[in-house]
Amino acid sequence: MWLQVSLLCLSCLTLPGRSQAQDRASLRRSNDHAGRCHYTFTVASPEESSCSGSGTKPEMDGVSSRLTMLEALVSRLIAGVDGGSRTRANGEEGLQEAYSQVTRERNQLQQDKERLNGQVQELQRRLAELSQEAESLRQRPCQQTNSSGGTQRENRPASDPAFDGNGAYQEMKAEVTEVPASRLIPEGNHNFTGCGELQSVGDPVLHRKADSITGKYGVWLQDPEPQGPLYTNKTVWRIDTVGKDVRQLFAYEDMDQLSQGFPMKVLVLPEPMESTGATMYRGSLYYQRKRSRTLIRYDLTSESLASRRELPHAGFHGQHPYSWGGYTDIDLAADERGMWAIYSTSKAKGAIVVSQLDPKSLEVKRSWQTNIRKNTVANAFMVCGRLYTVASYTAPNTTVNYAFDTATSAGRAVAVPFKNKYRYNSMVDYNHAQRKLYAWDNFHMVTYDIRLGRVSHGSS
């Protein structure tokens, strides 16, 4: 680096009245014994022929001082330039290292991507091989190769259900149709078309689990006798009964849609519901109004309140519930004989009262008082005009422990095994078209196949 320094000597300027000879000055540079550079200015004096050393020494000392300061300044500038160069060099070195690291990582990611692509291609190749093998296995039963390279048909009887009559075998697809378990019982043990006494209850079959706390207990049903084309016997109805204001009625096209959790419609009830005692019958939802003994019939087609009536003397809102509580004072049911209400009164002192209702007006047609207390059983349902009670709502293996026949006004103890698989069964209702019990067991919507015996002597 080159540094050019200009020195200005004020005394060397040409002043008026001075001659050119007097303004001449000379600058001499030489090294001293230590090797340092010395500058010497020589100016001719017009007045003196000579001067003492004491006269020039201050001037030389001033020049020397200024030169020393100049040298120091140059040294600092040079040092600053060198330091900046080193700083820039260090910064460039750091950037270069970071760039190198990013490059290495990018290369590693590229290698990983190529490796994964290779694995995917290998899996696709194996999948194609397996698909070809599966297709080969599917067609293998259709024909077999003989030793001459031709084909011969298997020797299977024409009565084989897979035999199509042309010597080949079809791929069989099972089309499952639900058949009530009661219809599978030999005729000697079961009346296929009429009513009978409950003989057995099958294991619970799960259809859906509720996905929120509001579904801990509730009501779910299918109408055994639907009215009109809008809803069918395949339509599934569901109400989550946990909440302060229960009004939503969910409609599902069928069981598959219920299991997927996508309702086709949501209806809003005109008045809030109390507990899990609702039932479905002939195109209407029947339920108890919240905090009252009022019964409501809600028409599903018109989506309107069709009729309402108080159930005389019925306890409500925790006066005579089932053993699990839940304000289950009034339990509505439908069976082969019509509409029923299961409840209790002060006069009955907590014993179960069964009343048959007019399905349109909700008027009580006839009542029976049993000799079993309502709060000692977990739930109840009606089958063929008979009341059946469930002993426990939490025991995994409990029983249907009591039966009351309205045809004979007689009750008796029974012991039909019943399972609470999920240990909190809050609703049990009978569907006479399906010959199944529908239950809500601790978030789980389940059904039970039932088996009925022959009609007892004297029963209608």
Side-chain angles (χ1 to χ4, degrees), residues 189-431:
N189 298 327
H190 177 69
N191 182 354
F192 283 86
T193 58
C195 275
E197 295 181 353
L198 182 67
Q199 299 294 309
S200 66
V201 178
D203 291 339
V205 177
L206 177 63
H207 297 274
R208 176 164 174 77
K209 180 181 179 182
D211 49 10
S212 68
I213 189 61
T214 58
K216 177 168 176 64
Y217 48 84
V219 180
W220 80 290
L221 301 156
Q222 288 181 292
D223 193 340
E225 299 179 29
Q227 307 291 307
L230 187 58
Y231 303 113
T232 69
N233 57 358
K234 292 184 178 180
T235 306
V236 182
W237 302 91
R238 165 187 169 178
I239 306 170
D240 295 338
T241 57
V242 175
K244 294 182 179 180
D245 193 40
V246 178
R247 289 176 182 263
Q248 289 186 323
L249 173 62
F250 298 91
Y252 301 85
E253 187 175 353
D254 50 28
M255 285 289 192
D256 288 339
Q257 196 179 63
L258 171 75
S259 64
Q260 294 172 10
F262 302 113
M264 65 177 182
K265 194 170 186 180
V266 181
L267 285 67
V268 179
L269 302 177
E271 304 200 30
M273 176 186 293
E274 181 97 304
S275 197
T276 61
T279 195
M280 195 75 64
Y281 185 60
R282 293 184 180 177
S284 293
L285 172 72
Y286 296 81
Y287 69 94
Q288 174 195 353
R289 188 187 184 280
K290 184 178 180 181
R291 290 182 177 270
S292 74
R293 59 172 61 93
T294 301
L295 305 182
I296 292 178
R297 179 169 75 89
Y298 177 73
D299 184 84
L300 299 171
T301 301
S302 64
E303 299 182 15
S304 62
L305 192 152
S307 56
R308 59 185 295 160
R309 184 180 295 270
E310 282 198 355
L311 184 59
H313 311 296
F316 64 94
H317 202 64
Q319 292 177 326
H320 302 295
Y322 290 126
S323 61
W324 74 273
Y327 305 123
T328 49
D329 300 75
I330 299 175
D331 192 4
L332 300 174
D335 68 356
E336 296 87 347
R337 303 296 168 82
M339 274 288 302
W340 305 89
I342 304 166
Y343 61 105
S344 188
T345 65
S346 299
K347 183 179 178 180
K349 298 180 180 179
I352 291 179
V353 175
V354 181
S355 292
Q356 190 168 22
L357 307 178
D358 182 285
K360 291 188 177 180
S361 67
L362 300 175
E363 183 181 358
V364 174
K365 298 165 67 173
R366 187 179 176 187
S367 296
W368 294 261
Q369 182 176 323
T370 70
N371 58 0
I372 187 169
R373 295 181 63 82
K374 192 166 184 290
N375 62 7
T376 64
V377 298
N379 225 303
F381 55 92
M382 298 294 297
V383 178
C384 295
R386 291 179 177 85
L387 170 77
Y388 294 95
T389 64
V390 180
S392 172
Y393 64 94
T394 57
N397 295 293
T398 184
T399 61
V400 175
N401 63 342
Y402 180 81
F404 181 88
D405 190 352
T406 59
T408 62
S409 299
R412 62 188 179 90
V414 296
V416 178
F418 186 94
K419 294 183 178 180
N420 297 309
K421 184 175 181 179
Y422 304 101
R423 302 196 180 190
Y424 201 96
N425 205 329
S426 59
M427 166 253 172
V428 181
D429 209 70
Y430 173 61
N431 183 306

Side-chain angles (χ1 to χ4, degrees), residues 139-194:
Q139 296 188 7
R140 188 173 300 171
C142 300
Q143 59 185 18
Q144 61 182 18
T145 305
N146 58 21
S147 59
S148 62
T151 59
Q152 64 180 27
R153 297 186 179 96
E154 292 185 17
N155 184 19
R156 298 288 294 275
S159 59
D160 191 318
F163 195 75
D164 68 357
N166 297 321
Y169 284 82
Q170 306 171 29
E171 181 180 353
M172 301 298 292
K173 293 183 179 179
E175 185 172 333
V176 179
T177 302
E178 288 190 3
V179 179
S182 57
R183 300 183 183 178
L184 304 177
I185 307 301
E187 190 171 356
N189 298 327
H190 177 69
N191 182 354
F192 283 86
T193 58

Side-chain angles (χ1 to χ4, degrees), residues 20-41:
Q20 189 173 6
Q22 292 174 337
D23 293 335
R24 286 195 187 101
S26 63
L27 173 66
R28 186 171 59 87
R29 184 176 60 177
S30 61
N31 294 328
D32 63 1
H33 64 278
R36 290 184 299 179
C37 181
H38 281 246
Y39 291 84
T40 304
F41 290 86

